[in-house]
């Protein structure tokens, strides 16, 4: 697999979680995909169920909100039973930071701008986190900057975000704690990109990428993909979360696809389909959806082409493993760029599946 990115930025590494489920972040580790649960954390069963669904979709690290004591009380059970690392997301109440560490959470995310007198508690937090080997994410958001920073810069500029993050890191460093990762999120993707570029130049901590409040699809997807592509292409970024006004499983799917598109993780299913036009003699949109659904759980990575006419046939999709050129109620099935048969439109999907299984069997024979 050829990566479309330049050399990765060198960063120190933090390890999120313990044992077999631990996920290294930074230090050359693969870029990981995160999301956040939308359940009430205090509802242990529903939270664990959603974590299981996210895990199945490819989520590698999950964050849970802890706005109340009931949520804090639920953390031990969730941290113990989840099969991927669980990060506690803390705002406003510093006592929940200590509760999360005591509960065995894999890491804690703090937003210093939203925690009263946070700086006064850094020594205690650093000591507790160090004793438990619990990493801390300094999560700086444009909407929660310290008033002193806003007064200095006038708004949430890239420089303001970076100064805020590095100030908090310096406080931890004074107490010998450096098991940190940083995020400097903004709703404007270009402000966010500039902030991360500045941050990457001024520290070697691993960076969590995110466009905060990106919005619903497709806007949120486009904003996140645009920002992530720029930064990851430049080698900046060690873990990502696509923030969407949509079910969190969609965040995981989009995040995984961004990394696959950039060559930062092996592709699973890739549907190569034409946009349709006046030449099309088939409903390309519906056919592409049916093929996508049929191959969603296919056991090996595969590139499948769905073309609406012979113009966009094997020639333009010759790098696909297999595909179809459709028209006049029929489909020309091709494998590795060669047409092998023509079938009725109603049999296209099942024929593609049959040919895909033959490819899997051939690959198995070649490696045996």
């Amino acid at each position: 697999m050829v990566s479309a990115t330049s050399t990765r930025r060198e960063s120190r590494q933090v390890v999120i979680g313990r044992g077999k489920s631990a996920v290294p972040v930074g230090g050359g580790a693969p870029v990981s995909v995160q999301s956040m649960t939308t359940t009430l954390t205090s509802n242990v069963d529903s939270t664990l169920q959603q974590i299981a669904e996210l895990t199945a979709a490819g989520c590698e690290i999950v964050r849970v909100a802890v706005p109340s004591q009931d949520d804090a009380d639920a953390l031990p059970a969730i941290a113990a039973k989840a099969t991927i690392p669980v990060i506690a997301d803390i705002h406003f109440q510093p006592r929940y930071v200590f509760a999360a560490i005591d509960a065995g959470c894999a890491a804690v995310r703090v937003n210093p701008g939203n925690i009263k007198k946070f700086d006064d508690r850094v020594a205690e937090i650093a000591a507790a986190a160090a004793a438990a080997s619990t990493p801390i994410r300094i999560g700086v958001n444009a909407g929660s900057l310290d008033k002193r920073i806003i007064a200095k810069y006038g708004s949430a500029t890239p420089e303001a975000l970076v100064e805020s993050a590095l100030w908090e890191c310096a406080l931890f460093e004074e107490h010998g704690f450096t098991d940190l990762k940083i995020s400097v999120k903004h709703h404007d993707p270009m402000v966010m990109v500039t902030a991360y570029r500045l941050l990457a130049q001024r520290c070697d901590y691993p960076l969590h990428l995110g466009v905060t409040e990106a919005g619903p699809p497709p806007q949120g997807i486009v904003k996140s993909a645009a920002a992530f592509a720029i930064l990851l292409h430049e080698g900046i970024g060690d873990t990502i979360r696509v923030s969407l006004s949509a079910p969190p499983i969609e965040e995981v799917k989009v995040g995984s696809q961004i990394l696959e598109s950039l060559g930062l993780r092996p592709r699973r299913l890739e549907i190569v389909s034409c946009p349709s036009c006046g030449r099309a003699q088939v409903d390309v949109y519906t056919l592409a959806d049916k093929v996508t659904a049929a191959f969603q759980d296919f056991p090996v990575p595969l590139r499948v082409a769905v073309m609406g006419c012979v113009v966009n046939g094997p020639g333009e999709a010759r790098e696909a493993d297999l595909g179809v050129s459709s028209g006049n109620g029929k489909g020309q099935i091709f494998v590795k760029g060669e047409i092998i048969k023509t079938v009725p439109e109603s049999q296209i999907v099942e024929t593609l599946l049959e040919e895909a299984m033959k490819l899997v069997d051939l690959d198995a024979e070649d490696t045996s």
Side-chain angles (χ1 to χ4, degrees):
M1 179 179 62
V2 179
S3 174
T5 65
S6 56
T7 303
R8 291 277 300 280
R9 161 183 172 268
E10 292 186 9
S11 69
R12 65 182 72 187
Q13 186 174 95
V14 300
V15 178
I16 310 300
R18 301 168 182 82
K20 293 181 179 180
S21 65
V23 177
V25 176
V31 179
S32 52
V33 174
Q34 302 192 24
S35 187
M36 188 170 182
T37 57
T38 56
T39 57
L40 290 174
T41 304
S42 57
N43 189 326
V44 174
D45 289 342
S46 63
T47 300
L48 286 171
Q49 176 62 36
Q50 190 170 72
I51 291 174
E53 293 168 356
L54 291 170
T55 303
C59 186
E60 294 158 296
I61 300 171
V62 67
R63 191 154 38 110
V64 298
V66 189
S68 73
Q69 187 60 51
D70 287 343
D71 298 315
D73 292 341
L75 290 176
I78 294 170
K81 295 179 181 179
T83 56
I84 58 175
V86 173
I87 296 177
D89 189 75
I90 310 297
H91 294 259
F92 306 117
Q93 295 294 339
R95 70 176 184 272
Y96 297 149
V97 175
F98 301 102
I101 293 171
D102 292 341
C105 289
V108 179
R109 183 269 180 141
V110 295
N111 184 340
N114 276 346
I115 299 179
K116 293 181 179 179
K117 298 183 179 180
F118 177 82
D119 292 356
D120 297 337
R121 306 294 299 273
V122 167
E124 298 171 70
I125 293 171
S133 298
T134 305
I136 301 287
R137 170 157 75 93
I138 304 296
V140 174
N141 278 13
S144 56
L145 286 177
D146 188 282
K147 292 180 180 179
R148 294 167 295 180
I149 298 289
I150 291 294
K152 178 178 179 179
Y153 291 97
S155 64
T157 65
E159 294 79 8
L161 293 167
V162 171
E163 181 172 322
S164 178
L166 293 180
W167 166 260
E168 301 299 340
C169 288
L171 294 180
F172 278 94
E173 291 166 359
E174 287 179 2
H175 300 285
F177 188 85
T178 58
D179 204 7
L180 302 166
K181 57 190 175 89
I182 309 175
S183 63
V184 283
K185 297 185 178 182
H186 197 284
H187 64 85
D188 184 317
M190 296 316 298
V191 173
M192 172 267 201
V193 165
T194 302
Y196 276 99
R197 283 172 170 164
L198 292 172
L199 191 58
Q201 294 169 1
R202 295 185 57 186
C203 74
D204 67 349
Y205 288 114
L207 303 181
H208 169 113
L209 301 188
V211 178
T212 192
E213 298 146 4
Q219 172 187 290
I221 294 173
V222 172
K223 290 170 68 173
S224 297
F228 291 178
I230 292 170
L231 291 169
L232 291 170
H233 178 70
E234 295 175 3
I236 298 171
D238 302 289
T239 184
I240 65 173
R241 189 246 174 133
V242 178
S243 298
L244 295 178
S245 300
I249 197 168
E250 297 303 316
E251 298 183 349
V252 175
K253 291 177 181 178
V254 172
S256 297
Q257 289 171 12
I258 290 172
L259 296 183
E260 290 175 18
S261 296
L262 293 170
L264 290 170
R265 65 169 49 185
R267 294 181 186 272
R268 292 181 293 178
L269 173 66
E270 181 184 6
I271 301 296
V272 179
S273 59
C274 67
S276 192
C277 67
R279 292 189 302 265
Q281 296 177 325
V282 68
D283 183 347
V284 177
Y285 313 137
T286 299
L287 181 57
D289 285 343
K290 289 181 178 179
V291 172
T292 300
F295 280 88
Q296 196 62 59
D297 297 318
F298 202 73
V300 299
L302 207 62
R303 179 178 286 142
V304 183
V306 180
M307 300 301 175
C309 69
V310 293
V311 173
N312 290 319
E316 291 195 16
R318 62 169 48 91
E319 294 184 2
D321 295 298
L322 74 161
V324 59
S325 298
S326 306
N328 294 322
K330 299 178 181 179
Q332 287 185 330
I333 306 296
F334 54 90
V335 177
K336 303 295 185 182
E338 299 294 329
I339 297 173
I340 61 167
K341 65 177 69 173
T342 299
V343 299
E345 186 176 319
S346 61
Q347 297 177 18
I348 287 174
V349 176
E350 64 181 88
T351 304
L352 287 173
L353 280 170
E354 291 171 359
E355 296 302 324
M357 291 307 302
K358 292 178 184 178
L359 286 175
V360 172
D361 292 340
L362 285 174
D363 288 341
E365 291 177 5
D366 291 340
T367 57
S368 62

